[in-house]
Amino acid sequence: MVHGSGEWEDQTGCISIPIYQSATFKHKGLNQSTGYDYSRLQNPTREELEKTIAKLEGGKEGLAFSTGMAAIDCVARLLKPGEHIIISDDLYGGTYRLFEDVYKVYGIESTYVDTTDLEKITMELKDNTKAIYMETPSNPMMKVSDIGKISALAKEKGLITIVDNTFLTPYFQRPMDFGADIVVHSGTKFLGGHNDTLAGLLVASREDLIEKLRFTQVSIGATLSPFDSWLILRGIKTLAIRLEKQQENAKHIALWLKNCDAVEKVYYPGFKEHEGYEISLKQTSGFGSIISFTVKEKKAIGKVLEEVEIVTFAESLGGVESLITYPYLQTHASIPEEIRNRMGVTDKLLRLSVGIENVNDIIYDLSKSLN
């Protein structure tokens, strides 16, 4: 992680890859190219990031986009009108909005399924099903899907398996080791790690998929800028130490929340009683630092969000600063209320992204409003 792809060299001996802030590149003559023509097509800084994330995930190639949603949009364009995709029913609201409000218009069918249940997935398969898309752990209910079993089912049926690995990153989870074809990241989150840039990343394990994804990437043009590529590369250098500290903090905070009188239930895969605990032990090397929890009384929501000082009330997650979010009205507002309530994304749910601050300071900050 610290040294990136290991493929980049420069005669100057730079330790940090330069930011190639150039829109276009000089040709020496007709049919002569350095390999770089125009930065929408490729840029040396972005290329280093793409090689780095591919190496970390164990895939053939990576692709970097201007946002996480641009990366998911590129995946969605693998589907043709009349084709069908199965998607985790507990997922980021922006992903739901993309498939329901954008691609549904173009004839792409979507079915939302509890992907922790292989039987339910099997029951929803159709003749026109082409892919299975899952978040694991899911956002925000922290449900864990068995990547290996789902990938095996998909291969048997000739389907593409897509895994959103934003919450754990390749440091804690490598979906391709369990058969996934495409891995998705919002690089804005843990990979960047500092809440200072937007980015999306894809990694693919199959040449046929890479060719299609790359064509869409350069045709649509939502590619990551050189400077933002450099910021994500810089973030990846400290990914391991950040995630270890954030997870250590999260374990203490999750246990404290579990014993807090104002809290009704805590959703954290690191608890042995969590439904996905055994699967997590099999396919991950860590549980991450995202915790969701419900409070017993709705009035506590406003109190927490207004009174926290060290923890920041803001959308997003994965940065060094602890952030708390109200999914019901923020990240999942685009999902119909009936579905939100069924999934557990109620008006009493909060999602906490644990940062690297002193854990006692975080707990004290939360206790002021919860106790």
Side-chain angles (χ1 to χ4, degrees), residues 8 18 22 25 45 79 91 109 111 173 184 197 214 264 304 309 331 347 354:
W8 181 77
S22 181
F25 299 86
T45 315
L79 299 168
L91 81 165
E109 298 177 38
T111 302
Q173 177 173 265
V184 179
T197 187
R214 185 71 72 183
E264 186 174 65
V304 170
E309 297 176 289
T331 57
D347 57 5
V354 179

Side-chain angles (χ1 to χ4, degrees), residues 17-25 36 38-53 62-72 74 185-189 191-193 196-202 213-214 216-236:
I17 187 170
I19 302 168
Y20 286 87
Q21 195 64 46
S22 181
T24 190
F25 299 86
Y36 303 99
Y38 188 61
S39 275
R40 173 169 56 81
L41 306 178
Q42 191 51 284
N43 176 282
T45 315
R46 188 170 76 243
E47 186 176 52
E48 169 63 9
L49 172 59
E50 292 179 336
K51 288 180 178 179
T52 297
I53 192 62
L63 299 90
F65 299 82
S66 54
T67 66
M69 289 310 304
I72 298 171
C74 187
H185 287 280
S186 173
T188 309
K189 313 305 192 294
L191 294 176
D196 58 7
T197 187
L198 299 177
L201 295 164
L202 295 179
L213 293 168
R214 185 71 72 183
T216 299
Q217 181 196 36
V218 300
S219 298
I220 301 301
T223 50
L224 192 61
S225 74
F227 181 61
D228 289 324
S229 297
W230 183 85
L231 283 174
I232 301 298
L233 281 166
R234 185 180 66 166
I236 288 174

Side-chain angles (χ1 to χ4, degrees), residues 124-344:
E124 295 296 341
L125 291 174
K126 303 179 181 180
D127 292 339
N128 61 338
T129 304
K130 297 299 178 182
I132 301 173
Y133 183 109
M134 73 188 97
E135 288 185 4
T136 182
S138 65
N139 183 8
M141 303 308 296
M142 306 305 295
K143 294 161 70 174
V144 176
S145 299
D146 192 318
I147 300 170
K149 288 184 178 180
I150 294 172
S151 297
L153 172 66
K155 282 180 170 54
E156 179 187 332
K157 303 293 183 181
L159 312 180
I160 302 169
T161 305
I162 306 151
V163 179
D164 188 320
N165 198 26
T166 297
F167 273 21
L168 292 184
T169 82
Y171 182 70
F172 282 140
Q173 177 173 265
R174 299 204 339 157
M176 287 183 175
D177 290 350
F178 299 90
D181 299 304
I182 298 173
V183 175
V184 179
H185 287 280
S186 173
T188 309
K189 313 305 192 294
F190 287 103
L191 294 176
H194 293 79
N195 292 317
D196 58 7
T197 187
L198 299 177
L201 295 164
L202 295 179
V203 179
S205 63
R206 290 168 34 188
E207 292 291 350
D208 60 323
L209 295 177
I210 292 165
E211 184 179 351
K212 293 176 182 177
L213 293 168
R214 185 71 72 183
F215 175 80
T216 299
Q217 181 196 36
V218 300
S219 298
I220 301 301
T223 50
L224 192 61
S225 74
F227 181 61
D228 289 324
S229 297
W230 183 85
L231 283 174
I232 301 298
L233 281 166
R234 185 180 66 166
I236 288 174
K237 289 178 183 290
T238 60
L239 181 65
I241 56 175
R242 285 188 287 106
L243 262 61
E244 288 288 354
K245 175 60 176 175
Q246 287 171 284
Q247 178 177 247
E248 179 187 348
N249 281 353
K251 288 178 178 178
H252 288 290
I253 294 166
L255 185 60
W256 178 82
L257 286 167
K258 187 178 177 181
N259 294 308
C260 178
D261 290 338
V263 174
E264 186 174 65
K265 187 172 182 178
V266 180
Y267 303 89
Y268 183 63
F271 286 152
K272 289 185 177 181
E273 63 269 25
H274 188 282
E275 291 181 358
Y277 180 77
E278 293 298 328
I279 298 173
S280 292
L281 291 180
K282 180 179 69 173
Q283 67 187 24
T284 77
S285 59
F287 304 107
S289 57
I290 305 298
I291 305 166
S292 291
F293 63 97
T294 52
V295 293
K296 292 179 180 177
E297 297 185 21
K298 184 183 174 182
K299 64 182 181 181
I301 295 290
K303 195 168 188 292
V304 170
L305 299 179
E306 290 169 12
E307 295 184 5
V308 286
E309 297 176 289
I310 293 171
V311 179
T312 302
F313 173 30
E315 295 191 42
S316 199
L317 56 95
V320 292
E321 301 90 356
S322 293
L323 303 180
I324 194 163
T325 301
Y326 188 38
Y328 190 77
L329 293 181
Q330 290 183 291
T331 57
H332 290 66
S334 59
I335 297 176
E337 185 174 12
E338 179 187 348
I339 298 176
R340 274 180 285 165
N341 289 332
R342 174 167 53 81
M343 295 306 307

